[in-house]
Amino acid sequence: MSAPALEERAREVRSDVLRMSHRARTPHLASALSCVDVLVAAYWGELRLDPARPLDEDRDRLILSKGHAVSALYATLARRGYFPLEWLGHFNEAGGRLPEQPSPGCVPGLELATGSLGHGLPMGLGMALAARLTGRTYRVCAVLSDGECEEGSVWEAALLAAAHRVERLAVVVDFNRWQATGRSPEVMALDPLADKWRAFGWSACEVDGHDPGLLARRLAAIPDGSGRPVAIVAHTVKGKGVSFMEDDNHWHYRSPDAAELQAALAELGRG
Amino acid sequence: MRNAFAAELTRLAGEDDRVVLLSGDIGNRLFDEFKGRYPRRFFNCGVAEANMVGVAGGMALSGLRPVTYTINSFMTARCLEQIRLDICYHRSPVVIVGVGAGLCYASLGATHHSLEDIGTLRLLPHMTVVCPGDPVEVRLALRAALVHPGPVYLRLGKKGEPVVHAGATPGFQMGRGIRLRDGRDACILGTGNVLPLALEAARALEARGVSVGVVSLHTVKPLDEGLLDEAFRGLKVVATLEEHSLLGGLGGAVAEWLADRPGLPGRLVRLGTADTFLHEAGGQDHARRRLGLALEDVVDRIAEAVDGVAHPRRDPGRDR
């Protein structure tokens, strides 16, 4: 898919995410907007992901480890055809199948129930090691938040993955430099983040996390020939796509009122 | 128990190529045969238990039958959230094996004591909790766990435990106790590595004129409700015995069950360890004695419940 087409997909998904947060009064809107381009690159790029066969044993596995941003994944999956778009209108409804953070198998295409940070990479590593034993060639890509990289289990997994040279495992860190209550590199010494992954034995690169075309090419290049697991540090802006939300951490917890929603949608060309 | 575990796991891995073993950097030499036969299916996951459990969860979701293995206290308390979310929430068939139940590693200090694990793991939805009472039960429980469709926690002792089931192999089903002897007055429901102690106590009580049965209640979750119902209807005293805190373990589970069934005539006596940390040096026998699990503690408590008379209680602090 061309870069302009990918960018149009990203605007659609961002619009969905804004409507969902407004309607359901849910937080973590800015976290979701931050990782939309990564998800668009994964689902409309070169990864082996087929909405008609969500349980195909040879599919690539995309894990949204930062489960608080799942509204972005729900919207991506719906737009990609995994389930009807109408379901998004019932996000977080009591008794519904789209919880505010995902439960196991809640929608087709969802690999893991996440929400507690630091679980997606160890489990993704288990999936990648299982592929080797069962003779399959699928890739596993875990999308982590930068704050999540403060969890020790992330680095435990990084060490084991490097020891086993699990080259079909990748991490994308959504490095928007905010966590819930502060600047992530100030709360914990995350910088230099790509160097940390390299020091742990990974092949690491840094990219513009809002260039879906570039992200798609990076994902397509896994394994990257180094024989190592791959870390893509994606530099992002929290709240990306809506001028008055960008890099304003109030939108970690706020949801837009009707006027704010209209203003935001207008910026995305959907006023 | 651990040698029986390693041997049986090696055998079962030969029957099912989905079986993989993840170890938290313990079991030096113990798994040599497994590693020799199935080198690709053995993973030393290092001193990183949380990751080991997550990896096992991911493997189970990808069609494998992972078995995780390390020292009991690290296998349960340290990575409880990973067990809860990566395995139980996804209802994945992972067998979590802890070695060193209760006070097996008493001399290594409270860091290595495991007296809260039955309580914490039985709280988790979908979890089955099995505490084999001897090496024979270890083999049978492992075989059953590896065909169970959900998570199972296996609580092993250490090595050198006596074989209780020396004769014919008993029938084994998770959730069903094994009757070892019958009694008219009371019954001891023992779980895990206290099974020899339960039998010794029953013999001592018999010498005092009290007729006591013994059941290996290896599965704490789900409880054998039919067996409990029969015991509390037919006997004066039903005693639970475990190398585990009095809070939350088998005794706690049976007390919860009993609270929902008023009117049953049997009286429950819970025998386990005191709600404390042991700070002083000493091995398993010493630690049992200090925490209230000496043979005479078991015998006296049951005799007093059957007689309905209070006997003078041994003070565990007096005989260091």
Side-chain angles (χ1 to χ4, degrees):
Chain A
M1 188 174 273
S2 68
L6 288 173
E7 286 159 18
E8 176 57 19
R9 293 289 181 225
R11 281 190 293 274
E12 272 179 357
V13 170
R14 284 195 164 89
S15 304
D16 293 333
V17 164
L18 284 158
R19 290 190 190 96
M20 291 161 77
S21 174
H22 165 71
R23 188 175 187 283
R25 296 268 156 243
T26 49
H28 303 127
L29 170 59
S31 307
L33 293 172
S34 178
C35 64
V36 166
D37 300 294
V38 172
L39 296 176
V40 165
Y43 282 90
W44 280 277
E46 303 296 319
L47 291 188
R48 206 158 42 188
L49 292 163
D50 179 359
R53 304 173 66 199
L55 296 175
D56 179 6
E57 293 194 357
D58 288 317
R59 73 191 182 280
D60 289 333
R61 272 72 165 168
L62 190 290
I63 295 167
L64 185 66
S65 192
K66 46 174 289 185
H68 54 288
V70 76
S71 60
L73 180 60
Y74 289 151
T76 301
L77 291 171
R79 290 277 169 195
R80 188 69 181 80
Y82 281 83
F83 55 84
L85 272 175
E86 292 76 42
W87 291 12
L88 299 181
H90 302 282
F91 174 54
N92 201 33
E93 270 185 10
R97 61 182 300 166
L98 268 64
E100 191 176 326
Q101 302 205 23
S103 56
C106 62
V107 293
L110 184 101
E111 294 290 348
L112 279 186
T114 51
S116 175
L117 298 174
H119 291 259
L121 183 56
M123 295 187 79
L125 172 56
M127 293 175 178
L129 289 169
R132 281 188 174 176
L133 284 178
T134 53
R136 299 192 184 276
T137 57
Y138 62 76
R139 296 167 287 189
V140 182
C141 178
V143 180
L144 276 60
S145 75
D146 50 353
E148 180 171 12
C149 293
E150 296 164 10
E151 290 283 4
S153 55
V154 169
W155 301 102
E156 291 182 8
L159 290 171
L160 189 69
H164 286 264
R165 301 181 73 88
V166 186
E167 62 178 5
R168 291 179 178 276
L169 175 67
V171 154
V172 178
V173 182
D174 178 6
F175 197 8
N176 60 37
R177 306 183 81 79
W178 278 112
Q179 56 195 86
T181 66
R183 284 279 181 197
S184 44
E186 294 171 8
V187 175
M188 298 283 258
L190 286 179
D191 282 324
L193 189 55
D195 285 346
K196 286 185 173 63
W197 288 97
R198 284 186 199 105
F200 275 68
W202 287 52
S203 174
C205 63
E206 299 186 66
V207 301
D208 174 356
H210 297 305
D211 182 342
L214 172 61
L215 287 162
R217 288 196 296 280
R218 291 291 187 184
L219 293 173
I222 300 163
D224 70 359
S226 66
R228 300 168 188 271
V230 175
I232 300 169
V233 175
H235 292 286
T236 54
V237 175
K238 195 160 176 174
K240 177 69 178 180
V242 179
S243 61
F244 57 90
M245 294 181 183
E246 287 188 359
D247 206 37
D248 177 354
N249 211 34
H250 287 99
W251 294 96
H252 187 89
Y253 290 116
R254 279 203 60 192
S255 57
D257 62 23
E260 289 163 337
L261 176 66
Q262 286 315 310
L265 292 175
E267 288 194 20
L268 292 164
R270 281 158 178 79
Chain B
M1 287 198 204
R2 70 185 183 209
N3 291 333
F5 165 73
E8 191 68 12
L9 184 66
T10 305
R11 179 193 299 184
L12 294 169
E15 297 174 12
D16 185 347
D17 62 9
R18 298 172 303 165
V19 172
V20 290
L21 172 59
L22 288 73
S23 162
D25 200 38
I26 67 157
N28 190 31
R29 308 300 308 274
L30 181 66
F31 299 121
D32 279 359
E33 194 179 344
F34 187 103
K35 286 190 269 187
R37 289 198 199 176
Y38 314 110
R40 297 181 70 230
R41 290 197 267 153
F42 176 82
F43 296 88
N44 184 346
C45 292
V47 191
E49 296 80 8
N51 178 60
M52 176 168 72
V53 173
V55 167
M59 287 175 160
L61 288 175
S62 309
L64 300 180
R65 299 283 321 207
V67 177
T68 65
Y69 179 86
T70 190
I71 291 174
N72 207 295
S73 50
F74 313 138
M75 189 69 262
T76 55
R78 190 179 184 99
C79 47
L80 183 62
E81 193 191 69
Q82 277 74 21
I83 295 174
R84 175 172 176 260
L85 297 180
D86 302 352
I87 296 178
C88 292
Y89 191 24
H90 290 84
R91 207 168 190 163
S92 290
V94 177
V95 183
I96 298 157
V97 183
V99 65
L103 297 164
C104 286
Y105 294 136
S107 63
L108 297 177
T111 55
H112 287 59
H113 300 174
S114 189
L115 299 169
E116 307 91 23
D117 55 309
I118 295 176
T120 45
L121 266 67
R122 81 176 179 87
L123 283 181
L124 302 177
H126 304 319
M127 181 62 89
T128 296
V129 177
V130 183
C131 312
D134 83 336
V136 174
E137 289 188 19
V138 168
R139 289 176 181 267
L140 296 168
L142 180 62
R143 186 172 279 273
L146 275 172
V147 295
H148 184 69
V152 178
Y153 170 46
L154 278 190
R155 185 189 204 235
L156 304 188
K158 45 181 180 183
K159 66 173 180 179
E161 289 90 350
V163 172
V164 173
H165 303 285
T169 304
F172 187 94
Q173 193 182 341
M174 293 195 299
R176 290 289 158 84
I178 301 173
R179 294 160 201 253
L180 291 168
R181 59 179 278 164
D182 293 324
R184 292 181 308 278
D185 302 316
C187 176
I188 303 174
L189 309 176
T191 199
N193 59 336
V194 292
L195 196 56
L197 174 62
L199 289 164
E200 200 180 346
R203 286 191 292 270
L205 283 158
E206 189 174 29
R208 284 165 62 163
V210 185
S211 171
V212 179
V214 173
V215 172
S216 174
L217 200 62
H218 45 74
T219 306
V220 179
K221 183 184 181 181
L223 283 171
D224 186 341
E225 299 194 52
L227 185 145
L228 290 179
D229 191 71
E230 187 185 328
F232 280 96
R233 280 185 199 285
L235 297 167
K236 193 170 179 186
V237 171
V238 179
T240 57
L241 179 63
E242 59 198 311
E243 200 165 286
H244 185 277
S245 171
L246 281 170
L247 309 182
L250 174 62
V254 173
E256 290 165 12
W257 180 88
L258 193 59
D260 290 336
R261 286 158 186 82
L264 289 178
R267 180 187 152 190
L268 171 64
V269 172
R270 294 177 304 128
L271 297 159
T273 58
D275 179 26
T276 187
F277 290 110
L278 195 59
H279 288 228
E280 67 204 31
Q284 187 173 16
D285 290 343
H286 173 80
R288 278 187 178 183
R289 175 159 287 275
R290 293 283 287 119
L291 293 175
L293 271 184
L295 174 64
E296 53 267 42
D297 295 317
V298 177
V299 169
D300 289 351
R301 288 286 308 282
I302 293 172
E304 134 189 342
V306 170
D307 295 348
V309 202
H311 294 272
R313 197 68 61 81
R314 184 180 71 82
D315 175 2
R318 298 233 350 239
D319 51 12
R320 299 184 177 202

